[in-house]
Amino acid sequence: MKKSILAAAIAAAVAAPAVNANVTIYGKVHVSVDNIDGDMYNWPDEDGYRNDDSISDLDQWQVKSRASRIGFNGTEDLGNGLSLIWKAETTYDFADGSAWGSGRNAYIGLTGDWGTFLYGRHDTPYKMAYYAGGVEMMGDTIIDFGETGYLDSTYSRVRASSAIAYVSPNMNGLTIAAAIVPGEGNNFDKGTGLADAVSISGMYSNNGLKLAAGYEDLGDDDNKLLVTAGYTMNNFTIAALYQNADFEDQDIDTVLLAGSYSMGNNTFVAKWGRTKDSYRDGTRATVWSLGAEHKLSKRSSVYVGYTNADENYQDDSMDGFSVGMIHNF
């Protein structure tokens, strides 16, 4: 009896800090079985950039963990409508079991009726705008627009370290976000100022309509502008995105289109994208994809996807087929 009381007391003492801190544990398990046949560009790094333009000739089956993650977040009520917030999220590879992989969003900040201020590692407002229009249907699967590395939509998705960001409250459907990023001698243009990189966006959502625009300057004469829109009517959703990326020696235009139809627990998706490069004087790459997803429950689903990519400049191509499972917890 005494041992049981002592054990209960110890358990309560250990659990109390977590309860008081209002900590939530969450995550996502996403693993697929893929067949890749063709030439693929090197994968982008964590900040959305490739180290080079080398190409891998692949003809293989693979089991791949796709943005699987585990995270912790929490809030503390400071009174008068003000709360402290924090998040710590990391990649977990469910294909090979390796834990604590590449860093995802991790920050601390304050939130209230006036909006949210945070600093740490976070998606840039430009990246938030990219997803806000809804064009990236079945994202993180093999039909993700950034999957093959052929389209420059990958440059739209920067997760910035050392970001200092503000996100406004929802104002009748409109949200404004802005961030600055110090170079710290090794970040983006390797400057030493407070705002060596700048990212801003505006996002609107109301009655099935989604609109977003973003601008980002990451230094080194690299800047990007995008506009995107999506609309849902009954079971149909359509979305489009246009991006202009002005880099040091080239100007790249990217157009993305996507549509989906939902029928019960099933969703069918079609996607098309094209990139034009002024440096190479014409179409650089074209990608089209088809996918279908079936919900097993509110938290679990299975899917199948196919993608085809052609790169005109070096006459490369790639076909990919994938079957995957997703569980959110």
Side-chain angles (χ1 to χ4, degrees), residues 212-267:
Y215 172 81
E216 191 162 81
D217 183 349
L218 300 181
D220 289 334
D221 298 320
D222 294 346
N223 58 77
K224 302 168 292 182
L225 173 70
L226 74 76
V227 291
T228 181
Y231 184 69
T232 299
M233 182 176 61
N234 298 324
N235 296 333
F236 289 94
T237 298
I238 56 173
L241 181 144
Y242 167 76
Q243 174 182 264
N244 174 261
D246 185 8
F247 298 123
E248 186 175 359
D249 58 355
Q250 57 187 318
D251 190 71
I252 301 173
D253 292 308
T254 302
V255 175
L256 308 177
L257 302 173
S260 70
Y261 174 73
S262 297
M263 183 172 61
N265 291 329
N266 303 301
T267 301

Side-chain angles (χ1 to χ4, degrees), residues 62-251:
Q62 63 185 22
V63 176
K64 184 174 181 179
S65 183
R66 296 181 168 276
S68 299
R69 70 204 69 165
I70 185 169
F72 308 84
N73 61 39
T75 62
E76 182 182 9
D77 188 351
L78 302 177
N80 298 317
L82 184 66
S83 295
L84 182 143
I85 58 171
W86 63 272
K87 174 183 280 191
E89 186 175 296
T90 189
T91 300
Y92 191 107
D93 195 321
F94 283 85
D96 62 17
S98 59
W100 320 121
S102 59
R104 296 177 61 84
N105 289 351
Y107 57 80
I108 190 169
L110 297 170
T111 187
D113 294 338
W114 45 270
T116 300
F117 166 79
L118 59 88
Y119 58 101
R121 183 171 173 83
H122 197 272
D123 297 345
T124 65
Y126 191 89
K127 179 180 178 179
M128 294 165 64
Y130 174 88
Y131 285 105
V135 74
E136 199 57 272
M137 302 173 186
M138 289 182 64
D140 294 330
T141 72
I142 202 168
I143 73 170
D144 187 297
F145 279 120
E147 171 73 11
T148 64
Y150 278 57
L151 293 180
D152 288 280
S153 62
T154 51
Y155 294 119
S156 305
R157 292 177 268 184
V158 174
R159 181 179 288 118
S161 298
S162 305
I164 303 169
Y166 168 77
V167 181
S168 77
N170 187 314
M171 301 172 289
N172 296 319
L174 176 65
T175 302
I176 305 295
I180 57 175
V181 184
E184 299 182 357
N186 60 8
N187 201 15
F188 297 112
D189 69 352
K190 305 185 187 303
T192 57
L194 181 63
D196 291 315
V198 177
S199 181
I200 58 174
S201 67
M203 296 157 283
Y204 177 81
S205 178
N206 191 27
N207 292 327
L209 176 65
K210 295 181 178 180
L211 303 171
Y215 172 81
E216 191 162 81
D217 183 349
L218 300 181
D220 289 334
D221 298 320
D222 294 346
N223 58 77
K224 302 168 292 182
L225 173 70
L226 74 76
V227 291
T228 181
Y231 184 69
T232 299
M233 182 176 61
N234 298 324
N235 296 333
F236 289 94
T237 298
I238 56 173
L241 181 144
Y242 167 76
Q243 174 182 264
N244 174 261
D246 185 8
F247 298 123
E248 186 175 359
D249 58 355
Q250 57 187 318
D251 190 71

Side-chain angles (χ1 to χ4, degrees), residues 256-323:
L256 308 177
L257 302 173
S260 70
Y261 174 73
S262 297
M263 183 172 61
N265 291 329
N266 303 301
T267 301
F268 304 94
V269 174
K271 303 170 76 171
W272 178 90
R274 175 168 290 176
T275 291
K276 289 190 175 182
D277 188 337
S278 63
Y279 179 74
R280 292 168 178 172
D281 192 26
T283 299
R284 178 176 179 175
T286 302
V287 173
W288 64 270
S289 308
L290 297 173
E293 184 174 22
H294 174 72
K295 289 187 178 299
L296 300 170
S297 67
K298 290 183 177 180
R299 297 185 298 172
S300 302
S301 62
V302 295
Y303 68 84
V304 60
Y306 171 81
T307 189
N308 173 272
D310 290 293
E311 204 274 351
N312 294 346
Y313 182 67
Q314 296 180 340
D315 195 26
D316 301 314
S317 63
M318 172 272 202
D319 291 281
F321 173 78
S322 179
V323 177

